[in-house]
Amino acid sequence: MKVRELFAEYWAERLEVNPIGNSTKACEESFYVDYIDPVIGRMDCEKVTVDDILMIATRARSCGRLNGTLVRIRRILEWMFSYGLRKGKTENNVMEYVTERYNQLIRESIYSEEDRKRIMACFERMSLGNLYGFVASMGCTGEEAKALQEDSVMLDEGVCYLDYVMKNDENNNPKFVQKSGVTWRQMTERAKGYLTKQFRVQALNKRRAGEKWNNPRNLVFTDNFGNPLTKELIRKENERLIKLSGIPMLSLERLRSVFNDLPGIEEYEGHDREEDRSNDVI
């Protein structure tokens, strides 16, 4: 079966089972047409190789696209070939090619290991460093981390439940949206370390704030008075991270792709040092 034919089948079934917005539909179709189809569209599914996947990524990068595009292309390929695997039209090794090559490319071709070490070290000098470190260590989104509640964390079991995401309404006020499906995530040792430090910071902030403490949702990551983190606070921390690291275009949400499936993240130096960040006014 040709890749082009497989995509057509997959796309038709996806739109029928899970309708998506016009903008998302147009975006995903354009990614396929621009980057995937020209390279492997006419190939038999089982003949796709690692080099073919690399060529797709190289084509995307040559057009000035960064790893947001690469992640989306990988996602489309994984969905498509996973569909083919369920239908008996592709082989498992095709899925392995897609995942392995794109993880490697994002790790090695976008940010160097030295870049990532420098970024991780910066978290120790940031007011919200535990939040940024948790996102980098877990591979979750910033919206998920900002909505994390204390009773959703089980440190001893190494598990947390990312049941909500925190968005902003039309008045720029925090809005919590409950997720569907499986929400539990296994935590890395590094992520557990950041949460342990954050619990200590929260306890100290709560004592200092006294009656001004306002955290009815028992959020793990808040400002010094227990309030949900605002877009303005995150914007300032993003600017601080860029300034400290000397690496442009960094943000809380971007960390997920910067550290995507990075092995050995616990081995980075510079983030076991205990610091009392509660004195920082955020």
Side-chain angles (χ1 to χ4, degrees):
M1 186 176 198
K2 304 295 184 186
V3 171
R4 185 175 296 175
E5 297 169 352
L6 177 66
F7 179 78
E9 281 194 18
Y10 144 77
W11 192 239
E13 180 169 305
R14 181 175 180 215
L15 294 180
E16 180 180 351
V17 173
N18 184 25
I20 57 179
N22 289 334
S23 60
T24 302
K25 179 176 181 291
C27 187
E28 292 196 6
E29 283 184 324
S30 70
F31 275 113
Y32 175 82
V33 171
D34 291 343
Y35 302 115
I36 299 174
D37 189 74
V39 178
I40 63 174
R42 299 176 186 274
M43 292 180 58
D44 292 332
C45 293
E46 288 76 11
K47 294 183 179 179
V48 176
T49 67
V50 171
D51 289 336
D52 297 321
I53 302 301
L54 178 60
M55 189 178 299
I56 295 172
T58 303
R59 182 185 181 91
R61 293 185 64 219
S62 69
C63 296
R65 300 297 185 98
L66 294 175
N67 47 325
T69 292
L70 299 181
V71 170
R72 184 178 288 272
I73 293 173
R74 184 186 69 178
R75 191 175 298 134
I76 293 172
L77 285 167
E78 286 180 339
W79 285 339
M80 182 173 64
F81 288 130
S82 178
Y83 165 84
L85 193 61
R86 292 197 305 272
K87 300 295 183 179
K89 297 174 180 178
T90 60
E91 297 179 0
N92 193 53
N93 66 326
V94 177
M95 279 291 293
E96 294 175 358
Y97 290 153
V98 173
T99 304
E100 178 184 349
R101 174 51 71 183
Y102 268 87
N103 286 345
Q104 181 180 351
L105 186 79
I106 291 173
R107 289 197 301 266
E108 298 180 355
S109 300
I110 304 300
Y111 293 93
S112 68
E113 185 173 350
E114 289 303 315
D115 287 339
R116 290 186 289 270
K117 287 182 178 179
R118 190 159 70 250
I119 293 169
M120 292 293 281
C122 292
F123 299 155
E124 297 301 325
R125 302 167 60 188
M126 296 170 59
S127 299
L128 301 177
N130 289 331
L131 168 65
Y132 281 64
F134 178 75
V135 170
S137 302
M138 282 290 292
C140 63
T141 68
E143 290 181 341
E144 290 172 329
K146 288 186 293 183
L148 181 64
Q149 301 177 34
E150 292 182 10
D151 56 5
S152 296
V153 177
M154 292 173 282
L155 282 177
D156 292 340
E157 291 82 1
V159 171
C160 68
Y161 288 82
L162 301 172
D163 296 317
Y164 293 87
V165 294
M166 194 183 92
K167 298 181 178 293
N168 293 88
D169 62 20
E170 60 275 7
N171 297 317
N172 211 27
N173 297 314
K175 179 177 68 173
F176 295 88
V177 180
Q178 188 166 10
K179 295 165 57 179
S180 59
V182 178
T183 60
W184 73 272
R185 295 281 297 275
Q186 193 75 38
M187 292 188 289
T188 65
E189 289 300 316
R190 185 58 55 195
K192 290 166 61 177
Y194 280 118
L195 286 183
T196 300
K197 288 189 285 185
Q198 179 61 21
F199 288 147
R200 289 199 286 267
V201 169
Q202 284 289 76
L204 182 57
N205 282 338
K206 185 176 182 179
R207 288 198 300 272
R208 289 176 172 174
E211 294 181 356
K212 295 181 179 180
W213 183 255
N214 179 38
N215 188 11
R217 298 185 68 93
N218 290 321
L219 298 175
V220 174
F221 300 103
T222 68
D223 67 10
N224 286 352
F225 296 94
N227 301 304
L229 296 171
T230 64
K231 292 177 66 175
E232 180 64 15
L233 290 176
I234 297 300
R235 183 189 64 79
K236 290 180 178 179
E237 281 292 87
N238 290 340
E239 292 176 352
R240 180 162 176 77
L241 178 58
I242 292 172
K243 182 177 181 180
L244 289 172
S245 67
I247 300 174
M249 299 178 65
L250 288 177
S251 68
L252 178 64
E253 292 297 342
R254 194 172 178 82
L255 292 176
R256 186 184 187 187
S257 54
V258 172
F259 292 92
N260 184 55
D261 297 325
L262 183 66
I265 195 169
E266 293 86 359
E267 309 307 322
Y268 283 169
E269 299 176 355
H271 31 305
D272 277 334
R273 178 165 46 90
E274 289 287 346
E275 284 189 9
D276 177 12
R277 298 192 193 85
S278 57
N279 289 323
D280 296 322
V281 178
I282 61 174

